[in-house]
Amino acid sequence: MKQNPIDIVLEELKFTKTEKEGFMSFVKYAKTCQETGKNQDLKSHLENIVSEIVEKR
Amino acid sequence: MKINYIQYHNYRCFDDVKVSFNTDCLQNVALVLGVNGSGKTEMLFSFQWVLYGFDFKNLREKDETPYALNSTLYHQLEVDRHAPSVDCWAELSFTHNGREYFMRRTERFMQLNGKVNSIEKVSFSYTEDNGVRSEPENDKVKVEEMISRIIPKSILEGITFDGERMKKLNIVDDSSKKVIKNVISLVTNERLFELCLGEIKDVNGDINRDRNRINRASGNVTAEELEKEIGELNEKIEDAETGSEGAKRNLEKVETKIKEISQKLAELEEAKRLEQKRKGLEKDLERAEKDFSQGLDSFQKRLVDGYFLATDQLIDDVKESLDTIDVPAGLTVEAVKSIMKRPKCICGCDMNEDVVQRLSMLLSTLPPDNISSNILYMANQFSGEKKRTKDLLNETYKSVQKSKDDVAKIKVELAQISSSLVTSVSETVRELEQERNKLFEQKGVLKEKHEKHIRDFERFNKRLKEAKKELISASGNQEQIKVLIEKGRILDKFKDAIKKIGEQNQALSLVSINQYLSNAYSQLSEDTGRRIYLCQYDSKEKYGLYTYVESRYRDVRVRKINSGEMKTWQDDGLSDNEIHEKLVLQVAEGKSTGQSKINSLAFAKAILEYSNEDRSSDTLKVSHDYPFLIDSPFTELSDDNLINVAQYINTFAHQVVIMADDVSYGWVEKYLKPYVKTKTQLIKDKENGISYVK
């Protein structure tokens, strides 16, 4: 099966499973914010994602 | 997005007019007909005015009326200082994602100190879920932000076409490339990447500030300084990136100009011979400059070991101090102790009190093991290393010097050719040559600048990595700092990923847009032997819209295969798409007017089809469903080009708004009529210059 281009990049940059999940969650949320025009929460969303990744280590 | 109506009051040539654009999926065309001067183009630009404001000076042949107000009312205000203020407005209603929106722009005109002034205000509202119209938003910045999420300004420029814009889009120059670039950056959703990068930078900034605060509180000066350095390095890296891009762009422009002049010169018979020699020398110069640059690089790398050259005094001092210690080589503490246990010394004397005392003194001066010989050995090794470094430096320096001499020699030869061209040939050649020389100078400066920015970028990045590592050790065991450093590392990773994915997304999107473009062109153009291509790899030509004759393309392709050039490209790692582009650029051609219109229409169709794709499952891109608005699509077209456009214009978007004059509509009515849902006839009252709807 053809690999998703995003997956290829994340693999190249040696993203761990947790980092990958966090990254995808960030990008998806950013897209939602972009569509709704409400991006006030995007920063705190990113902060939480990064904190969670560090905690899971 | 679907346009419902536009309504005017005292706007330009309209008095009180409302035009509806009711369409459905089977009949998706709304037609506005009218003779020349009845307000069709005014109507097209009114969409831009109502949504984003519009500079009427941009309207051709309308520079005498650069304002939104109806000109009769405007002139009344000019002459009558007691005239009351007058409002003009336009209201646009559209439906987006099932919700109806209303955008109204009003401009109030009044006379003030003998001059006509105006104040503009906006009002944006929508129908809420309960069917009630929302409170209008009047803050211009907020309204613009909301509108730009639904239909960004650049997109509006990509989907509203008048004859002038059609032509401009198709002339491959910086301005058309800019328009195409903006449209593509919007439909490929580059904004998402900008948004993500902005947030990452923001959070990273907070983390840096937190680390600074903690380091300051704990008095960790080293860490604090490193934090400061990291902050500065990040700024320098950004500057180097921006500077490098700017220099690269300028360099490309200069190179293009040089290429153009060189081509002109090559065409002049008298300059041909010298030109050929020059080309050879330029290649030599490039090689010599490359050698020089590589030599300099390797010299600089060797200079890292240059400290060996400053160690002469140190080695001499070490050797001298070892000489002053009167200890036989190889004599150790253990050896002296063993001698002292014997009845006789190795010199043959009895082990009396005097000998024991001497040996004890020797023991006190003797190093624990024979360190002196080790030091001597190391000093000699060091000496050898120094010699090797010196030799290597000499060698690389000579090589650098040689390349430098070569460069200078070639430059002299080039200058001689240049002077021959200037002195021996015609005035035209002289002028061209002088211009080219100036450009060469500029090129040299820009090249140096560009390379410096790249070197700076690499140097700062290298130091940034080191500083981050140093920061980790300087921060000691403070748990908080460790966590913050780790967060910063993750954010850096996110940033790298966003940048890479952004680049990839753009490349893939352009491949897809090119496919749509090619299909649209095949559908619309009567010329079946021609193809169209939107440049996407070549940095100089990127976003240029080119057509080419397919048979010529095939011939060149075969030639490249036979000459082995194709194999070289493949070996260089160029993809099939990149090779295709190289070939297209070699056979790209100019266009006739009729063909230009087809090119622009094909581009508009491709962009609309690409942006209207269903993207509900796409992580990065969003679906838009834009309408298509066009003025006079059938003029300047003939034969099959005209028929094709008439037959397929309804397939451009879910809603197509066409402004046309009655005559040109007459040519295509039989093709278009089945798709027309609403038809509005604009009538011009010549006496008072007002247009109204029949």
Side-chain angles (χ1 to χ4, degrees):
Chain A
M1 204 175 79
K2 208 175 169 185
Q3 209 181 357
N4 178 338
I6 301 179
D7 287 343
I8 297 171
V9 171
L10 299 187
E11 251 173 52
E12 254 177 46
L13 295 172
K14 298 188 171 64
F15 269 61
T16 62
K17 191 171 172 274
T18 325
E19 285 170 346
K20 190 179 160 186
E21 283 166 1
F23 179 82
M24 291 310 295
S25 160
F26 170 56
V27 176
K28 279 179 187 163
Y29 194 72
K31 189 186 164 190
T32 310
C33 289
Q34 194 196 22
E35 282 168 327
T36 57
K38 291 173 186 163
N39 50 11
Q40 299 94 321
D41 296 339
L42 185 56
K43 187 176 167 185
S44 57
H45 186 79
L46 175 62
E47 282 167 341
N48 290 339
I49 285 172
V50 174
S51 298
E52 270 174 38
I53 295 173
V54 174
E55 274 166 28
K56 279 184 189 169
R57 278 168 184 275
Chain B
M1 183 192 173
K2 196 174 154 188
I3 297 166
N4 302 320
Y5 68 80
I6 191 157
Q7 190 173 0
Y8 308 104
H9 171 71
N10 293 338
Y11 175 85
R12 302 285 293 175
C13 62
F14 303 107
D15 188 359
D16 280 300
V17 166
K18 185 175 180 180
V19 180
S20 295
F21 303 99
N22 184 23
T23 54
D24 56 38
C25 43
L26 291 174
Q27 288 182 298
N28 66 332
V29 176
L31 195 64
V32 180
L33 293 175
V35 294
N36 283 343
S38 61
K40 299 187 300 294
T41 312
E42 294 280 16
M43 186 178 282
L44 186 76
F45 286 110
S46 71
F47 288 95
Q48 297 195 18
W49 183 76
V50 71
L51 291 172
Y52 287 103
F54 181 74
D55 187 353
F56 292 96
K57 285 177 193 154
N58 291 341
L59 279 180
R60 217 163 46 115
E61 296 164 8
K62 303 278 166 92
D63 44 354
E64 283 177 12
T65 55
Y67 37 78
L69 183 65
N70 175 277
S71 60
T72 312
L73 296 169
Y74 190 91
H75 292 315
Q76 276 170 13
L77 275 177
E78 272 183 321
V79 295
D80 182 3
R81 66 192 176 94
H82 299 296
S85 59
V86 192
D87 279 359
C88 87
W89 55 258
E91 182 175 279
L92 178 71
S93 158
F94 57 89
T95 303
H96 174 64
N97 287 345
R99 192 183 285 278
E100 189 176 7
Y101 294 86
F102 306 90
M103 173 68 186
R104 181 186 285 215
R105 184 175 296 267
T106 308
E107 202 168 348
R108 174 163 293 176
F109 289 80
M110 69 218 82
Q111 203 204 66
L112 212 67
N113 302 325
K115 272 188 166 180
V116 178
N117 286 279
S118 71
I119 307 166
E120 203 178 71
K121 59 179 187 179
V122 293
S123 166
F124 185 61
S125 57
Y126 56 88
T127 309
E128 298 202 50
D129 294 339
N130 55 10
V132 178
R133 197 148 150 176
S134 71
E135 278 294 308
E137 176 60 66
N138 301 110
D139 183 317
K140 268 190 183 176
V141 177
K142 283 185 186 164
V143 169
E144 191 157 321
E145 199 201 317
M146 286 189 272
I147 294 283
S148 69
R149 276 202 307 276
I150 301 169
I151 182 156
K153 197 176 177 185
S154 304
I155 284 292
L156 190 63
E157 287 168 3
I159 59 163
T160 52
F161 284 97
D162 68 310
E164 274 302 292
R165 288 204 53 243
M166 284 252 171
K167 279 181 198 162
K168 275 187 196 165
L169 187 70
N170 203 47
I171 300 165
V172 184
D173 63 2
D174 286 349
S175 84
S176 69
K177 282 182 192 167
K178 200 176 160 192
V179 171
I180 293 177
K181 182 178 186 280
N182 285 342
V183 172
I184 285 177
S185 88
L186 279 160
V187 294
T188 56
N189 207 10
E190 279 179 31
R191 276 188 179 186
L192 177 69
F193 303 99
E194 284 164 19
L195 175 69
C196 291
L197 286 174
E199 295 299 330
I200 290 171
K201 193 179 174 186
D202 219 9
V203 177
N204 233 334
D206 287 352
I207 287 176
N208 289 343
R209 273 188 289 279
D210 281 350
R211 286 204 308 237
N212 259 331
R213 188 177 42 75
I214 296 167
N215 285 324
R216 203 172 304 130
S218 62
N220 191 339
V221 181
T222 319
E224 213 184 320
E225 279 172 1
L226 279 166
E227 289 283 9
K228 199 179 159 200
E229 192 191 348
I230 288 171
E232 286 168 358
L233 282 166
N234 276 323
E235 279 173 22
K236 283 179 183 172
I237 288 169
E238 266 185 41
D239 288 348
E241 264 182 312
T242 322
S244 160
E245 279 164 21
K248 196 180 164 197
R249 268 196 305 276
N250 291 335
L251 188 63
E252 283 166 1
K253 279 183 196 163
V254 171
E255 278 175 345
T256 311
K257 279 186 193 165
I258 290 176
K259 206 173 153 190
E260 282 166 10
I261 295 177
S262 300
Q263 264 168 4
K264 279 184 198 164
L265 279 170
E267 281 161 15
L268 295 162
E269 192 60 39
E270 52 191 351
K272 261 188 187 171
R273 190 185 52 79
L274 289 166
E275 208 33 48
Q276 272 169 357
K277 196 174 173 192
R278 171 204 278 284
K279 271 185 191 162
L281 281 169
E282 269 172 11
K283 274 189 187 160
D284 292 346
L285 180 65
E286 208 171 292
R287 228 176 353 255
E289 278 181 334
K290 199 176 165 192
D291 288 349
F292 176 70
S293 166
Q294 280 173 349
L296 199 65
D297 202 31
S298 109
F299 182 69
Q300 278 170 341
K301 276 182 191 152
R302 296 215 186 288
L303 263 185
V304 174
D305 297 329
Y307 68 91
F308 279 119
L309 304 182
T311 54
D312 276 348
Q313 188 61 45
L314 179 70
I315 294 168
D316 289 348
D317 287 351
V318 169
K319 284 183 176 169
E320 199 186 314
S321 5
L322 288 175
D323 285 346
T324 57
I325 304 170
D326 185 19
V327 180
L331 192 59
T332 63
V333 172
E334 288 309 309
V336 176
K337 279 182 182 169
S338 140
I339 292 166
M340 285 170 78
K341 283 177 191 163
R342 296 179 180 190
K344 283 195 174 190
C345 179
I346 48 170
C347 62
C349 301
D350 287 335
M351 195 58 74
N352 57 30
E353 205 173 311
D354 187 38
V355 176
V356 169
Q357 201 179 348
R358 277 167 187 270
L359 285 171
S360 299
M361 272 174 69
L362 181 63
L363 264 183
S364 69
T365 55
L366 206 61
D369 55 21
N370 200 347
I371 199 164
S372 52
S373 53
N374 278 345
I375 290 173
L376 187 62
Y377 175 75
M378 281 163 71
N380 287 335
Q381 287 281 95
F382 212 76
S383 233
E385 202 58 46
K386 185 198 77 181
K387 191 176 173 304
R388 263 193 300 283
T389 304
K390 200 174 170 182
D391 292 345
L392 280 171
L393 273 170
N394 271 333
E395 198 182 295
T396 44
Y397 182 73
K398 272 183 199 162
S399 142
V400 169
Q401 202 60 41
K402 189 188 168 296
S403 309
K404 197 181 164 189
D405 291 345
D406 287 348
V407 168
K409 209 171 121 190
I410 298 168
K411 277 186 175 170
V412 169
E413 281 186 67
L414 278 169
Q416 279 166 355
I417 291 185
S418 169
S419 110
S420 316
L421 278 165
V422 172
T423 52
S424 66
V425 288
S426 72
E427 189 61 31
T428 321
V429 174
R430 247 196 301 281
E431 279 170 12
L432 285 171
E433 183 56 21
Q434 276 163 355
E435 196 186 337
R436 185 167 63 172
N437 282 344
K438 274 185 199 160
L439 288 168
F440 269 126
E441 273 173 37
Q442 277 181 31
K443 183 183 164 183
V445 173
L446 285 168
K447 206 172 164 190
E448 211 170 285
K449 257 191 195 174
H450 182 231
E451 281 165 5
K452 187 185 172 298
H453 284 307
I454 290 174
R455 279 199 302 275
D456 282 352
F457 177 78
E458 283 167 0
R459 192 159 52 91
F460 295 144
N461 250 326
K462 193 181 164 208
R463 175 61 200 142
L464 183 68
K465 277 182 193 159
E466 287 167 2
K468 281 182 178 172
K469 273 186 193 164
E470 284 167 25
L471 180 67
I472 294 172
S473 35
S475 301
N477 289 322
Q478 288 193 65
E479 202 49 45
Q480 270 180 303
I481 291 278
K482 275 187 182 172
V483 169
L484 289 172
I485 288 173
E486 188 53 21
K487 283 183 177 179
R489 194 192 64 75
I490 291 164
L491 285 168
D492 283 349
K493 247 179 148 176
F494 276 28
K495 188 170 85 178
D496 290 345
I498 292 283
K499 281 186 177 173
K500 274 201 159 190
I501 293 167
E503 284 165 16
Q504 212 172 57
N505 170 57
Q506 202 208 39
L508 290 171
S509 304
L510 280 169
V511 170
S512 182
I513 289 170
N514 252 320
Q515 191 55 53
Y516 279 118
L517 182 65
S518 176
N519 294 344
Y521 188 79
S522 306
Q523 202 172 48
L524 301 176
S525 174
E526 63 182 2
D527 191 342
T528 51
R530 266 198 182 76
R531 296 283 174 267
I532 195 164
Y533 182 75
L534 178 69
C535 222
Q536 70 170 98
Y537 301 105
D538 187 295
S539 54
K540 282 180 217 166
E541 306 299 338
K542 195 166 181 179
Y543 301 116
L545 202 56
Y546 291 100
T547 51
Y548 59 95
V549 176
E550 200 179 16
S551 57
R552 281 194 63 205
Y553 170 91
R554 282 207 210 102
D555 290 347
V556 173
R557 190 180 171 86
V558 169
R559 276 210 302 277
K560 298 290 172 190
I561 292 170
N562 294 340
S563 68
E565 211 169 331
M566 182 73 80
K567 174 94 177 42
T568 315
W569 288 343
Q570 283 164 342
D571 292 345
D572 286 347
L574 294 190
S575 66
D576 289 348
N577 286 338
E578 285 169 297
I579 291 174
H580 170 66
E581 180 171 303
K582 266 183 170 290
L583 295 171
V584 168
L585 286 175
Q586 295 199 2
V587 292
E589 54 172 19
K591 302 123 231 173
S592 69
T593 319
Q595 206 56 40
S596 304
K597 197 154 192 173
I598 292 293
N599 299 349
S600 301
L601 284 166
F603 174 74
K605 190 173 195 294
I607 287 296
L608 285 159
E609 284 182 345
Y610 177 82
S611 48
N612 294 350
E613 264 181 6
D614 177 21
R615 303 201 196 282
S616 43
S617 59
D618 197 304
T619 321
L620 305 171
K621 284 170 259 175
V622 281
S623 185
H624 292 289
D625 192 16
Y626 296 124
F628 180 51
L629 298 94
I630 186 160
D631 181 22
S632 310
F634 311 116
T635 54
E636 293 171 1
L637 292 176
S638 55
D639 304 328
D640 282 351
N641 276 345
L642 178 65
I643 295 169
N644 292 343
V645 171
Q647 271 180 331
Y648 293 110
I649 199 160
N650 69 303
T651 65
F652 276 44
H654 296 117
Q655 185 188 33
V656 178
V657 176
I658 297 172
M659 283 106 184
D661 65 278
D662 303 71
V663 176
S664 69
Y665 178 61
W667 302 334
V668 296
E669 189 175 4
K670 65 174 175 178
Y671 303 104
L672 201 57
K673 202 177 175 184
Y675 308 107
V676 177
K677 176 85 178 172
T678 46
K679 192 158 88 172
T680 306
Q681 185 80 44
L682 287 177
I683 309 283
K684 179 105 178 173
D685 182 340
K686 284 182 185 166
E687 266 180 44
N688 57 19
I690 294 288
S691 297
Y692 58 94
V693 171
K694 189 178 173 185

